[in-house]
Amino acid sequence: MKVGGTAACWVTNEPLPGFVEHCRTHEIPLDFISWHIYNNDWERHAEGVREGKRLLTGFRSRGRR
């Protein structure tokens, strides 16, 4: 089974940050996070990836348990 989500409308919009924090607090491993954006600006998409990585800073992956 894979754990991930939440397909928020942007990486910093709830419920995604709260979901990551819940998983972190309860030591639930995450396989992925997801969000979407309706924009053709590649820099905006890259900003989302940077924000996603920041959101996961210090989160242990399945491979490091």
Side-chain angles (χ1 to χ4, degrees), residues 4-11 13-16 19 32-36 38:
T6 63
C9 65
W10 182 239
V11 68
N13 288 24
E14 291 297 344
L16 186 53
F19 172 70
F32 65 93
I33 59 171
S34 65
W35 65 92
H36 59 276
Y38 299 108

Side-chain angles (χ1 to χ4, degrees), residues 8-47:
C9 65
W10 182 239
V11 68
T12 58
N13 288 24
E14 291 297 344
L16 186 53
F19 172 70
V20 171
E21 187 55 35
H22 175 82
C23 291
R24 183 188 326 270
T25 300
H26 297 282
E27 298 184 2
I28 300 168
L30 277 175
D31 294 294
F32 65 93
I33 59 171
S34 65
W35 65 92
H36 59 276
I37 181 173
Y38 299 108
N39 190 311
N40 289 328
D41 180 355
W42 287 105
E43 183 52 41
R44 184 77 170 137
H45 286 274
E47 180 184 340

